[in-house]
Amino acid sequence: MIRFTNDYSEGCHPSILEALAATNTEGNPGYSMDPHSAHAHELIRAAIGRPDADVHLLVGGTQTNATAIAAFLRPYEAVIAAVSGHICVHETGAIEATGHKCIACPAENGKLTPAAVRAACAAHTDEHMVRPRMIYVSQTTEIGTLYTLAELEALRAVCDELGLYFYLDGARLSSGLAAGGPSLTDLGRLCDAFYIGGTKNGALFGEALVILNPALKPDFRYNIKQRGGMLAKGWLLGVQFEQLFQGNRYVELAAHANALALKLKEGIAALGYTFLCDSVTNQQFPILPDGVVAALGQDFGFEFNCKPDAAHTCIRLVTSWATPEENVDAFLKALAALTK
Amino acid sequence: MIRFTNDYSEGCHPSILEALAATNTEGNPGYSMDPHSAHAHELIRAAIGRPDADVHLLVGGTQTNATAIAAFLRPYEAVIAAVSGHICVHETGAIEATGHKCIACPAENGKLTPAAVRAACAAHTDEHMVRPRMIYVSQTTEIGTLYTLAELEALRAVCDELGLYFYLDGARLSSGLAAGGPSLTDLGRLCDAFYIGGTKNGALFGEALVILNPALKPDFRYNIKQRGGMLAKGWLLGVQFEQLFQGNRYVELAAHANALALKLKEGIAALGYTFLCDSVTNQQFPILPDGVVAALGQDFGFEFNCKPDAAHTCIRLVTSWATPEENVDAFLKALAALTK
Amino acid sequence: MIRFTNDYSEGCHPSILEALAATNTEGNPGYSMDPHSAHAHELIRAAIGRPDADVHLLVGGTQTNATAIAAFLRPYEAVIAAVSGHICVHETGAIEATGHKCIACPAENGKLTPAAVRAACAAHTDEHMVRPRMIYVSQTTEIGTLYTLAELEALRAVCDELGLYFYLDGARLSSGLAAGGPSLTDLGRLCDAFYIGGTKNGALFGEALVILNPALKPDFRYNIKQRGGMLAKGWLLGVQFEQLFQGNRYVELAAHANALALKLKEGIAALGYTFLCDSVTNQQFPILPDGVVAALGQDFGFEFNCKPDAAHTCIRLVTSWATPEENVDAFLKALAALTK
Amino acid sequence: MIRFTNDYSEGCHPSILEALAATNTEGNPGYSMDPHSAHAHELIRAAIGRPDADVHLLVGGTQTNATAIAAFLRPYEAVIAAVSGHICVHETGAIEATGHKCIACPAENGKLTPAAVRAACAAHTDEHMVRPRMIYVSQTTEIGTLYTLAELEALRAVCDELGLYFYLDGARLSSGLAAGGPSLTDLGRLCDAFYIGGTKNGALFGEALVILNPALKPDFRYNIKQRGGMLAKGWLLGVQFEQLFQGNRYVELAAHANALALKLKEGIAALGYTFLCDSVTNQQFPILPDGVVAALGQDFGFEFNCKPDAAHTCIRLVTSWATPEENVDAFLKALAALTK
């Protein structure tokens, strides 16, 4: 079975395993108060170009989103997201469990638009409704699309206009960076807070939350602890991000994933198939005849996305830093054989 | 600096690093649906002697406590714990953040007693007060003491009498097992749920929650996900517990820690010092003159516990599976020199 | 200013004022443990034809909804409602504040449909998403429409099929009863729980929550107290519902409101105007030219509903048990004058 | 049966019934946006001497406490209260249900002391524990004792020193005012927020929350609505407080209750009995032989407080604005007869 199921099926980049072994018996203070974490924070601040940023390393994405959103909002405040947004669908109500409503908006190509944000705010007029106070976007989106710099700038402008925080979920930010999307420096300038995903780009686990708005910084570690996210051996996160931000590795790992995804895309398109959307990142959503999908399922792992019509199925193919090129070749060969 | 600060200052047992390397590129399903996790569950069920137990591997202790307690209780139900219990003091209100009151009871030697449980229940008489519904104990306790089998059986009896769940926090359960405390089979018989700590006994991270009461089992994975505790690469937990439950390793690692703690205890006692309590596990709480504590602090790491009188300080010394015996020797030598 | 703004602009039916005066110095036990409340419960159980029902009298609707939903659901469970449902829009996230997601579905004429319920359940497939566990409907709906008996039975069937609780918000149930909608006996047979609104039909305040499903009954008073809904002088609620359920008064009060609303409807239609929807209850939503709306606003109070096009405005007109017929006449006369 | 059970067994002062009847058909805007509420706010601001205060009228005490505390604190912040405090014992975990820990401190005569506050803060040192951020006191206390002005000033000073909000629960504030305790002006100067109880002093229901600290004022109505406390017919609260703050009525009603309580106290003391504490307010806690208590229970209603020894019982006797003096005489006569 060759897996294109997701980008978290393998462990970590070899450099991280080596670093974990090398530091295993160092003896480090607990709870992220160690020098590796401090160094990782420095590397991230430098990459963002914001020496004033607060950086917190957490274990997973849902944990990071729920901790941050619950920390940033007052009880009656709500977060605006695309209806397909991860917090709206795939976090088992983690945000609501902290007391906050997610306002789901129509999405275009998986993206939240200034018009949708404005409409959501206009519909919430007084104290009988929640108060929209934050927008949530994912880069890349759930369907692999990419916000352009102009799009993020337009969202920033609408946030400024309407008094909203701008929060970006970067679980797959690496793929967006490698695809030529807005840079870490852009995000450091535009967001109130965002996170840089490690789990899906070479780490065993780990997401780096970056808080830029000074109003959102105080006491954040209390929130991490209260929400169960403070890792006892916090230096494990520091060691991993030290490796990911060694040179340009963070982007290079994602560039490998993207290149293979584009090879898949081009090969599938060359066979005459279409896609759910035009993705330039490591998730591709081809639309294939049901019989082809069933046959492919014998040898390849992938997720079902949707049924665009009675005879076709849209599947999700995901590549990662660890995907071998021969897996892509094998898939395209198999698809070509089924297409003949 | 020689650290007796805690038992989570080092990474993991070498066998775990090796196993992580060996499995790094296997390709495993996410979210703990992998064969390593399934195998770890089997090993744990076998060790407990309860083939019917549900096992869930989570990353950390606060996360495990909050997820389990919030899942098991209805909104108005409360958990009874010793006033010194971890959930009452050191989890930043994580239990309250899920909506539940912790009823703090007086402790004897760090332990909850049937009499205290009965008193707490007697004081909560009607719907104007929370309903006590669970007891929480830690084995070993926050001050290193050990519940005997008779004590746990007495707590079980009071739970049966009063309709309470019995939950045991086993962050340092290994130390209790190695010290001859109640066995995993005993816990499998007596508790409604408990967790087996990995973080403080050889794992990079990881706690194995065991649910025995069938009423508490349904849908537990929803709770894990909602509380941010579902690790994407869940097999990392499985791989670690496979190693910890290889043969008798889980107890052997703790036996090393205990042996060194007892060497510390005997050496300190031989110099004429007393202790906060009689601990037979990996945490020792000697009472030393303030000047001695200050001098030791130059070369050794440890935590402050309390000031029993104006001239003395009680400190906490913790050993782990990774503590070298020469560290203990060095401490005793230094203390002897300061004692002359 | 003649108000058609809402149905809670006046105090209470004179019989209630008299009863409050008559019982003022009786001396009654607190917290709804009094004979008036017990008697009101009996009257309601009789009206529903369910002697086994639990009845709880609460002060307001948002309080009742939030208390009931939080009591009935486990933390990861969600409630399905029409996108226009009161809990989705006008309760400031009260349901989310107790930790539960409201799944908003497309509505037809303000109503939730079995197809929408099925689609919502089908879209929530595993533990990475909330678990739908309850449907919420309002009788009458936010736009004055009425579920027929066949529609409620179809919703009951889909609840049985999918394992969902059926909860009905009866803030304006009286208007539905008076309009010939499903009877209290029908609701007693079809719902797991519902509430009978007093505030909008002759009481100073008060909603009677009826719990029919035995699984939802235990310990409900704990939930009322915890959510701040337990009135010290609970007999005030009992006294009011004793009056409302005196003979057929509960329906008669609403019949007055409905009759005047229909007079408005017919008069407005006779002038050539259309409506947002076909309402047979005490809320009417005529669509009028903007200039007419502005002119009417000088003398009459009403709420803005929506802008169906650039030149027209849909307004909400609400009648109540206390609306004088001359107010309706005055409105129709003014509208006729503006229409000429 | 003559009731000394509590001070909420009767309806309301006759002037309030009259005002409710007089305003019944006025037609008022909903949700406390009416002129009666505005007028009541003005009367209260004047009585406090703080024209800048925000006043919100809510239905009940638990609702007011939970809404205010949840609004004022960030998620990881906690409130300090006497172990006997209402929020610690008699609100079914309403504060915890909003996510906040109540830190219970030893009380002296039912009162929180600066020393206890300091100790609680000193014990909470870092982000592994909740952050104390507010103190909660009740005037009068649960056992009828009264904070002096000096005591409240000392608590204010410790709040200033430690960065804490000062919140006062005034469910029985009227009794404290009538007993010569600190004035409304004092409270307006010393507290960040407090509430003035109506339910236990002549109203059908109603508590007036006064917010003085500007940082705590914004958006409070959102919190009221979200917690289910926004009364549709909010003017009912306004009308009641207009009557309570007519002239000196608010204090006069309580003076009647206090006078009768003191008559009870003196009469009981004259018979040779002692008291749990020295109360000068409307709650008295005599200690009587068990047999006497049982005999009194045939004709008089009162609550059990505690068992100071095997042969005696402490009971609670409560008087109210509505207690007839003959009830007190009857009690003393009966007790005298039983004392022979």
Side-chain angles (χ1 to χ4, degrees), chain A residues 56-196:
Chain A
H56 300 278
L57 305 180
L58 289 101
V59 169
T62 296
Q63 186 182 89
T64 304
N65 287 335
T67 303
I69 293 171
F72 298 161
L73 299 183
R74 294 194 61 195
Y76 56 89
E77 294 179 338
V79 54
I80 297 172
V83 67
S84 52
H86 206 260
I87 57 169
C88 289
V89 182
H90 283 104
E91 301 193 350
T92 316
I95 307 306
E96 289 85 356
T98 69
H100 300 281
K101 188 180 183 75
C102 298
I103 301 173
C105 290
E108 288 181 15
N109 273 319
K111 300 186 215 174
L112 190 65
T113 63
V117 173
R118 253 188 218 98
C121 288
H124 289 82
T125 52
D126 63 33
E127 67 264 29
H128 295 268
M129 301 176 226
V130 293
R131 156 89 58 85
R133 186 69 166 115
M134 174 189 279
I135 67 166
Y136 165 99
V137 302
S138 298
Q139 179 82 315
T140 66
T141 72
E142 298 292 312
I143 53 169
T145 52
L146 194 66
Y147 285 91
T148 63
L149 181 55
E151 286 170 337
L152 293 187
E153 283 174 338
L155 286 168
R156 174 75 262 172
V158 81
C159 285
D160 288 341
E161 174 191 331
L162 298 171
L164 306 171
Y165 300 126
F166 189 171
Y167 176 80
L168 183 142
D169 176 330
R172 292 192 175 94
L173 181 55
S174 56
S175 185
L177 296 173
S183 69
L184 286 173
T185 318
D186 293 327
L187 298 183
R189 178 171 53 86
L190 295 170
C191 295
D192 292 285
F194 69 102
Y195 84 79
I196 300 172

Side-chain angles (χ1 to χ4, degrees), chain B residues 31 33 70-71 74-77 99 125-131 218-219 221-223 225-227 230, chain C residues 31 33 70-71 74-77 99 125-131 218-219 221-223 225-227 230:
Chain B
Y31 304 118
M33 303 303 278
R74 295 193 60 195
Y76 56 89
E77 294 180 338
T125 53
D126 63 32
E127 68 262 29
H128 295 268
M129 302 175 224
V130 293
R131 158 90 56 86
D219 300 331
R221 284 172 56 84
Y222 282 85
N223 295 287
K225 178 71 183 182
Q226 186 179 55
R227 302 294 173 190
M230 192 169 284
Chain C
Y31 304 117
M33 304 303 279
R74 297 194 59 196
Y76 56 89
E77 294 179 337
T125 53
D126 63 33
E127 67 262 29
H128 294 269
M129 303 176 224
V130 292
R131 157 90 57 86
D219 300 332
R221 283 173 55 83
Y222 281 85
N223 294 288
K225 179 71 183 180
Q226 186 179 54
R227 302 294 173 189
M230 192 169 285

Side-chain angles (χ1 to χ4, degrees), chain B residues 17-340:
Chain B
L17 272 186
E18 284 161 27
L20 290 174
T23 57
N24 194 49
T25 56
E26 272 182 5
N28 271 296
Y31 304 118
S32 297
M33 303 303 278
D34 63 280
H36 294 288
S37 296
H39 183 216
H41 298 177
E42 272 315 308
L43 292 172
I44 289 168
R45 278 193 276 260
I48 297 166
R50 285 289 299 263
D52 61 318
D54 274 9
V55 181
H56 300 278
L57 305 180
L58 289 102
V59 168
T62 296
Q63 184 184 90
T64 304
N65 287 335
T67 303
I69 292 170
F72 298 161
L73 300 184
R74 295 193 60 195
Y76 56 89
E77 294 180 338
V79 53
I80 298 172
V83 67
S84 52
H86 206 257
I87 57 170
C88 289
V89 182
H90 282 104
E91 301 193 350
T92 317
I95 307 305
E96 289 85 357
T98 68
H100 300 281
K101 187 180 183 75
C102 298
I103 301 173
C105 291
E108 288 181 14
N109 273 318
K111 299 186 216 174
L112 190 65
T113 64
V117 173
R118 253 188 219 100
C121 288
H124 289 81
T125 53
D126 63 32
E127 68 262 29
H128 295 268
M129 302 175 224
V130 293
R131 158 90 56 86
R133 186 70 166 118
M134 176 190 276
I135 66 167
Y136 164 99
V137 302
S138 298
Q139 179 81 315
T140 66
T141 72
E142 297 293 313
I143 54 169
T145 53
L146 193 65
Y147 285 92
T148 64
L149 180 56
E151 286 170 336
L152 293 188
E153 284 174 338
L155 286 168
R156 173 76 261 173
V158 82
C159 285
D160 288 341
E161 175 191 332
L162 298 171
L164 306 171
Y165 300 126
F166 188 172
Y167 176 80
L168 185 142
D169 175 330
R172 292 192 175 95
L173 182 54
S174 56
S175 186
L177 295 173
S183 69
L184 286 174
T185 319
D186 293 328
L187 298 183
R189 180 171 52 88
L190 295 170
C191 293
D192 291 286
F194 70 101
Y195 83 78
I196 300 172
T199 302
K200 289 168 179 159
N201 193 40
L204 289 175
F205 56 87
E207 323 294 323
L209 178 67
V210 177
I211 309 180
L212 298 152
N213 184 331
L216 304 179
K217 292 177 182 175
D219 300 331
F220 195 79
R221 284 172 56 84
Y222 282 85
N223 295 287
I224 296 175
K225 178 71 183 182
Q226 186 179 55
R227 302 294 173 190
M230 192 169 284
L231 192 64
K233 303 184 182 178
W235 74 85
L236 298 173
L237 290 159
V239 165
Q240 292 186 82
F241 274 94
E242 282 182 309
Q243 290 305 315
L244 291 179
F245 278 79
Q246 190 86 358
N248 200 32
R249 184 179 286 146
Y250 186 68
V251 176
E252 285 165 2
L253 292 177
H256 171 85
N258 283 4
L260 293 186
L262 293 185
K263 186 170 184 182
L264 274 173
K265 179 186 184 181
E266 284 160 23
I268 295 167
L271 291 168
Y273 297 112
T274 60
F275 292 79
L276 180 69
C277 58
D278 182 33
S279 161
V280 295
T281 67
N282 74 319
Q283 298 183 89
Q284 297 294 329
F285 296 83
I287 297 168
L288 304 172
D290 290 352
V292 170
V293 169
L296 286 170
Q298 302 298 314
D299 297 311
F300 299 92
F302 46 78
E303 286 196 355
F304 167 85
N305 186 267
C306 63
K307 285 279 304 169
D309 65 46
H312 293 79
T313 297
C314 174
I315 63 171
R316 184 180 78 153
L317 301 176
V318 192
T319 55
S320 82
W321 62 274
T323 305
E325 186 160 5
E326 57 259 38
N327 287 7
V328 170
D329 296 337
F331 184 90
L332 292 176
K333 188 173 163 193
L335 181 60
L338 289 162
T339 304
K340 269 174 250 170

Side-chain angles (χ1 to χ4, degrees), chain C:
Chain C
M1 174 72 72
I2 292 177
R3 292 181 181 277
F4 295 103
T5 319
N6 59 47
D7 34 18
Y8 43 89
S9 284
E10 283 86 20
C12 60
H13 189 259
S15 70
I16 285 180
L17 271 185
E18 285 162 26
L20 290 174
T23 58
N24 194 48
T25 56
E26 273 183 2
N28 271 296
Y31 304 117
S32 297
M33 304 303 279
D34 64 279
H36 294 288
S37 295
H39 183 216
H41 298 176
E42 272 316 307
L43 292 171
I44 289 168
R45 279 192 276 260
I48 299 165
R50 285 288 299 263
D52 60 318
D54 274 9
V55 181
H56 300 278
L57 305 180
L58 288 102
V59 169
T62 296
Q63 185 183 88
T64 304
N65 288 335
T67 303
I69 293 171
F72 298 161
L73 300 184
R74 297 194 59 196
Y76 56 89
E77 294 179 337
V79 54
I80 297 172
V83 66
S84 51
H86 206 258
I87 56 170
C88 289
V89 182
H90 283 105
E91 301 193 351
T92 317
I95 308 305
E96 288 86 355
T98 68
H100 299 282
K101 186 180 184 76
C102 298
I103 301 173
C105 291
E108 289 180 14
N109 273 318
K111 300 186 215 174
L112 190 65
T113 63
V117 173
R118 253 188 218 100
C121 287
H124 289 82
T125 53
D126 63 33
E127 67 262 29
H128 294 269
M129 303 176 224
V130 292
R131 157 90 57 86
R133 185 72 166 115
M134 175 189 278
I135 66 167
Y136 165 100
V137 302
S138 298
Q139 179 81 312
T140 65
T141 72
E142 297 294 313
I143 54 171
T145 53
L146 193 66
Y147 284 91
T148 64
L149 181 56
E151 286 171 337
L152 293 187
E153 284 174 337
L155 286 168
R156 173 74 263 173
V158 81
C159 286
D160 288 341
E161 173 191 332
L162 299 171
L164 306 172
Y165 300 126
F166 189 172
Y167 176 80
L168 185 142
D169 175 330
R172 292 191 175 95
L173 181 55
S174 56
S175 186
L177 295 173
S183 69
L184 286 173
T185 319
D186 293 327
L187 298 183
R189 180 171 53 88
L190 294 170
C191 295
D192 291 285
F194 69 102
Y195 84 77
I196 300 171
T199 300
K200 289 168 179 160
N201 193 41
L204 288 175
F205 56 87
E207 322 294 324
L209 178 68
V210 177
I211 309 180
L212 299 152
N213 183 331
L216 303 180
K217 293 176 183 175
D219 300 332
F220 195 80
R221 283 173 55 83
Y222 281 85
N223 294 288
I224 296 175
K225 179 71 183 180
Q226 186 179 54
R227 302 294 173 189
M230 192 169 285
L231 192 64
K233 303 183 183 179
W235 74 84
L236 298 173
L237 291 158
V239 165
Q240 292 185 82
F241 275 93
E242 283 182 308
Q243 291 305 315
L244 290 180
F245 278 80
Q246 191 86 358
N248 199 33
R249 183 178 289 146
Y250 186 67
V251 175
E252 286 163 3
L253 292 176
H256 171 86
N258 282 4
L260 293 186
L262 292 185
K263 186 169 184 182
L264 275 173
K265 180 186 183 182
E266 285 159 24
I268 294 167
L271 291 167
Y273 298 112
T274 60
F275 292 80
L276 179 69
C277 57
D278 182 32
S279 163
V280 295
T281 67
N282 75 319
Q283 298 184 88
Q284 297 293 330
F285 296 83
I287 296 169
L288 304 172
D290 290 351
V292 170
V293 169
L296 286 170
Q298 303 297 315
D299 297 312
F300 299 92
F302 46 78
E303 286 197 354
F304 167 84
N305 186 268
C306 61
K307 285 281 303 170
D309 64 46
H312 291 79
T313 296
C314 173
I315 64 170
R316 184 180 78 152
L317 301 175
V318 192
T319 56
S320 84
W321 63 274
T323 305
E325 186 160 6
E326 56 260 36
N327 287 8
V328 169
D329 296 337
F331 183 91
L332 292 175
K333 186 174 165 194
L335 182 59
L338 289 162
T339 305
K340 269 173 246 170

Side-chain angles (χ1 to χ4, degrees), chain A residues 30-31 33 221-222 225 230, chain B residues 8 86 89-93, chain D residues 125-130:
Chain A
Y31 304 118
M33 304 303 278
R221 283 173 55 83
Y222 281 84
K225 178 73 182 181
M230 192 169 284
Chain B
Y8 43 88
H86 206 257
V89 182
H90 282 104
E91 301 193 350
T92 317
Chain D
T125 53
D126 63 33
E127 68 262 31
H128 295 269
M129 302 175 226
V130 293

